[in-house]
């Protein structure tokens, strides 16, 4: 039977371990398509989606509203969540967010 570090080496990236060596599920990633919505809806829907996530989960937000490049980073400063990346791809603004503790 594999335990702890042996299991992690056998299945890299498949499982994450808590400090007490019990298994827990990998962090979830949710994609939120907010294309076509105008201010303030992208920010409000992002806030609502973040409330439903567990600490460490990731949220990928796709917006077309240029004001979201200001509003979403400001929201994350208020909530304490982490903006891991923000990219503009052909008129679509993509924000990769990690839910804070």
């Amino acid at each position: 039977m594999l335990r702890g570090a042996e299991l992690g080496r056998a299945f890299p990236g498949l499982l994450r371990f808590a400090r007490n060596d019990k298994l827990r599920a990998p962090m979830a990633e949710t994609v939120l398509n907010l294309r076509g919505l105008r201010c303030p809806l992208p920010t409000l829907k992002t806030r609502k989606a973040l409330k439903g996530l567990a600490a460490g989960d990731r949220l990928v937000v796709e917006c077309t509203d240029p004001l979201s490049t200001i509003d979403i980073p400001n929201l994350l400063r208020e909530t304490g969540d982490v903006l891991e990346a923000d990219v503009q791809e052909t008129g679509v603004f993509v924000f990769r967010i990690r839910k804070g503790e």
Side-chain angles (χ1 to χ4, degrees):
M1 175 184 221
L2 297 175
R3 290 194 53 199
E6 294 170 346
L7 187 58
R9 283 191 296 275
F11 301 100
L14 181 62
L15 300 172
R16 297 181 193 270
F17 295 93
R19 290 190 182 157
N20 62 3
D21 203 31
K22 291 187 180 179
L23 301 178
R24 64 180 178 173
M27 302 299 171
E29 181 172 289
T30 305
V31 177
L32 191 59
N33 182 350
L34 302 177
R35 296 172 192 211
L37 297 180
R38 307 289 280 164
C39 184
L41 289 177
T43 304
L44 295 175
K45 289 186 178 281
T46 299
R47 180 187 299 269
K48 185 175 181 179
L50 285 168
K51 284 183 181 180
L53 296 179
D57 286 352
R58 287 185 171 75
L59 178 66
V60 177
V61 180
E62 301 172 346
C63 303
T64 51
D65 183 14
L67 288 178
S68 64
T69 60
I70 298 169
D71 294 339
I72 291 179
N74 284 337
L75 167 68
L76 299 178
R77 277 195 270 301
E78 290 176 12
T79 62
D81 301 314
V82 179
L83 180 62
E84 293 184 333
D86 60 332
V87 180
Q88 180 181 0
E89 301 171 347
T90 16
V92 178
F93 305 97
V94 180
F95 302 91
R96 184 175 174 85
I97 302 166
R98 183 173 35 87
K99 175 73 175 173
E101 302 297 321

